[in-house]
Amino acid sequence: MSRFTLRIVIALAALSIVGITATQLYWVRKAFDLKENQFNTDVNQALENVATQIFEVNKMATPANGLVTQESSNYFTVLVNGPIDSNLLGFLLKNEFDKKNITADYQYGIYNCSEQCMVGGNYISPTKNKIPASISELPSLKLDGYYFGVRFPQIEANLVSQMGIWGFSTIVMVVVIFFFVYTLFVILKQRRLSEVQKDFINNMTHEFKTPLSTISISTSVLKDPSIVQHPERLLNYATIIETESSRLKQQVERVLQMARLEKNDVGLKKENADLHQLIQEAVKNISMSLNSKQAAIELKLKATNSVALVDRLHFTNVIYNLLDNAIKYTESSPSIIITTNNQAGQFLISVHDNGIGISSENQRKIFHRFYRVPTGNLHDVKGFGLGLNYVKLIVEAHKGKIAVTSEVGKGSTFTISIPN
């Protein structure tokens, strides 16, 4: 799948998710409004029936105009123009609400407008059969005579609880969207891994092709019978074959090491070692590369306690990899500074170079397997993109940490902390 096609797929997927979500929210809101309107209609009819019955009990004529007024979304008032018995009102409300299948908790209060106070009331919970410890007074209104008010304090929660199918469909939609996004994420991740592995194969082919070509040319020269008459040439080509074979062996060993690390089969052989000595050995091992690039290296070994429990071979390789990167990613003559210190029971090693630097975006990726900082030409810097990943895994296997600070064009500093 091309990059352009993938972008179109992602854009369409995003639009689909937004469209589905908006549609679901619209219909859920519509369903809630219908429930609310139906509830208000049922409450109005129930309260009108209650008012009619109270007028009959008081032997008063029922007014022609509306008896019920909805003061707010959850508060209704009914003007009855006469005294009301609280127990009778409670019985009538319960009876009418049961007929309308109204199961929401409600509170009612009776008001005497001449005294401007609530003279009776109660809190009813049809489904839970409980009464709160204290009943809050309902809002009083400037009306003539007697009236009663009914408030539904938890009406929104009650209406939502009745929207079972819509709640279920919303949960299903969220789950579908989650798996859709997760699948898209997996596709993007697999595509990235595919690209990274493709780059790795290209780099590995290039890394193996060069020494094999050199060995092939050298063996062709050695087949010439006259070569024995030139011992210095014979030694030279034999040395070339040995060097290139050693280089191939190192590359294969590095790939095998990463395979073992992936399976958590590092097999560290830890022992107390002088880390200053291991740093010096790593510098010695890379001396040929230092000389070929006219690199200058300065050791500032300031740590007073340089002994730690480490695997000598792997730890030396860690320092070697950092030095190798410092040399490879420097355009002019490399200048490298290795500094050590002790801090809070940790042995700190920092490797500073004057190389091309690493952007903040790439700093988050350099420890990923196969990742290589872009340098323009794919093969102008040799390697598989395994070095820093190996360094990070080995440092963490020693219960240590590694961090990088860098600025493009001004070099990089890698800092390792190891318990000692």
Side-chain angles (χ1 to χ4, degrees):
M1 184 183 295
S2 67
R3 190 180 297 272
F4 178 73
T5 305
L6 187 61
R7 287 178 179 175
I8 292 177
V9 170
I10 293 174
L12 292 176
L15 287 174
S16 300
I17 291 173
V18 171
I20 292 172
T21 303
T23 303
Q24 181 72 9
L25 291 175
Y26 172 80
W27 285 113
V28 167
R29 184 64 200 181
K30 275 285 189 181
F32 181 84
D33 290 342
L34 288 173
K35 281 282 184 183
E36 188 176 34
N37 291 335
Q38 183 62 47
F39 175 81
N40 291 337
T41 301
D42 290 343
V43 170
N44 272 277
Q45 292 177 355
L47 293 179
E48 284 184 1
N49 293 337
V50 170
T52 301
Q53 294 176 59
I54 290 175
F55 276 107
E56 291 176 355
V57 170
N58 291 336
K59 298 180 180 180
M60 298 173 60
T62 304
N65 56 341
L67 301 175
V68 182
T69 303
Q70 185 170 356
E71 307 293 344
S72 65
S73 61
N74 68 339
Y75 186 43
F76 300 80
T77 58
V78 183
L79 187 62
V80 292
N81 296 326
I84 313 170
D85 181 75
S86 179
N87 292 329
L88 174 61
L89 177 60
F91 171 78
L92 294 175
L93 288 173
K94 183 179 185 306
N95 189 39
E96 292 299 327
F97 285 166
D98 286 345
K99 289 180 181 178
K100 296 294 183 180
N101 198 27
I102 297 173
T103 59
D105 292 6
Y106 61 92
Q107 177 185 357
Y108 68 87
I110 304 170
Y111 284 85
N112 183 345
C113 293
S114 62
E115 299 178 4
Q116 292 295 319
C117 64
M118 189 169 79
V119 295
N122 205 346
Y123 186 102
I124 306 298
S125 179
T127 56
K128 300 178 182 177
N129 253 339
K130 68 176 183 179
I131 299 176
S134 62
I135 302 174
S136 61
E137 187 167 323
L138 299 178
S140 61
L141 303 172
K142 293 182 179 180
L143 299 174
D144 296 328
Y146 283 87
Y147 73 93
F148 68 88
V150 179
R151 183 175 64 179
F152 299 86
Q154 301 174 11
I155 183 56
E156 290 188 358
N158 182 267
L159 292 176
V160 170
S161 67
Q162 296 178 30
M163 298 173 61
I165 185 62
W166 288 103
F168 176 75
S169 65
T170 301
I171 292 173
V172 171
M173 184 198 70
V174 171
V175 172
V176 169
I177 290 176
F178 171 78
F179 280 105
F180 187 81
V181 173
Y182 177 75
T183 303
L184 193 61
F185 172 77
V186 170
I187 291 173
L188 291 174
K189 186 177 180 180
Q190 291 298 326
R191 184 177 184 277
R192 177 184 170 277
L193 288 175
S194 177
E195 291 178 349
V196 167
Q197 290 177 353
K198 182 180 178 181
D199 289 342
F200 167 72
I201 292 172
N202 290 337
N203 292 330
M204 184 176 66
T205 302
H206 180 80
E207 290 290 317
F208 285 176
K209 186 177 180 180
T210 301
L212 286 173
S213 298
T214 304
I215 292 173
S216 178
I217 294 172
S218 299
T219 53
S220 298
V221 174
L222 291 177
K223 286 180 180 179
D224 185 357
S226 62
I227 191 71
V228 295
Q229 300 176 6
H230 305 277
E232 67 284 353
R233 289 187 63 198
L234 181 63
L235 178 61
N236 181 43
Y237 283 107
T239 303
I240 290 174
I241 293 174
E242 181 183 23
T243 302
E244 295 301 324
S245 297
S246 176
R247 179 180 167 188
L248 280 173
K249 181 180 178 181
Q250 289 177 358
Q251 299 288 19
V252 172
E253 183 62 27
R254 181 172 295 183
V255 174
L256 293 176
Q257 282 179 345
M258 296 309 299
R260 286 196 295 269
L261 287 171
E262 187 177 15
K263 297 178 181 178
N264 295 321
D265 184 24
V266 185
L268 296 179
K269 298 178 181 178
K270 294 184 180 180
E271 58 181 295
N272 285 319
D274 187 343
L275 302 187
H276 284 169
Q277 180 182 349
L278 298 185
I279 292 171
Q280 291 169 347
E281 288 180 7
V283 172
K284 182 180 179 181
N285 292 340
I286 205 169
S287 58
M288 290 185 63
S289 297
L290 291 170
N291 294 333
S292 64
K293 293 290 291 283
Q294 298 180 342
I297 187 165
E298 181 180 358
L299 300 181
K300 297 182 179 180
L301 309 181
K302 301 177 182 179
T304 55
N305 179 13
S306 60
V307 177
L309 192 65
V310 298
D311 183 295
R312 298 177 65 94
L313 175 62
H314 283 292
F315 188 82
T316 304
N317 287 339
V318 164
I319 304 301
Y320 179 92
N321 274 282
L322 293 178
L323 294 176
D324 186 47
N325 280 346
I327 295 171
K328 289 193 297 186
Y329 289 96
T330 302
E331 295 177 344
S332 57
S333 298
S335 177
I336 304 170
I337 302 174
I338 301 179
T339 307
T340 65
N341 285 291
N342 292 115
Q343 182 179 338
Q346 299 283 318
F347 181 84
L348 302 181
I349 311 167
S350 65
V351 179
H352 174 76
D353 62 61
N354 62 334
I356 61 176
I358 308 168
S359 66
S360 57
E361 178 184 357
N362 287 322
Q363 286 179 34
R364 297 190 296 267
K365 304 175 183 177
I366 56 174
F367 295 109
H368 294 174
R369 186 169 302 171
F370 306 129
Y371 185 80
R372 303 175 71 212
V373 176
T375 57
N377 186 338
L378 182 63
H379 297 302
D380 60 348
V381 177
K382 299 181 183 300
F384 294 158
L386 297 174
L388 288 178
N389 181 253
Y390 167 80
V391 168
K392 182 175 184 291
L393 291 174
I394 292 299
V395 169
E396 290 178 348
H398 284 83
K399 298 182 180 179
K401 296 180 180 179
I402 183 169
V404 59
T405 56
S406 183
E407 188 175 347
V408 176
K410 295 186 178 180
S412 306
T413 301
F414 288 86
T415 303
I416 295 173
S417 60
I418 297 287
N420 69 346

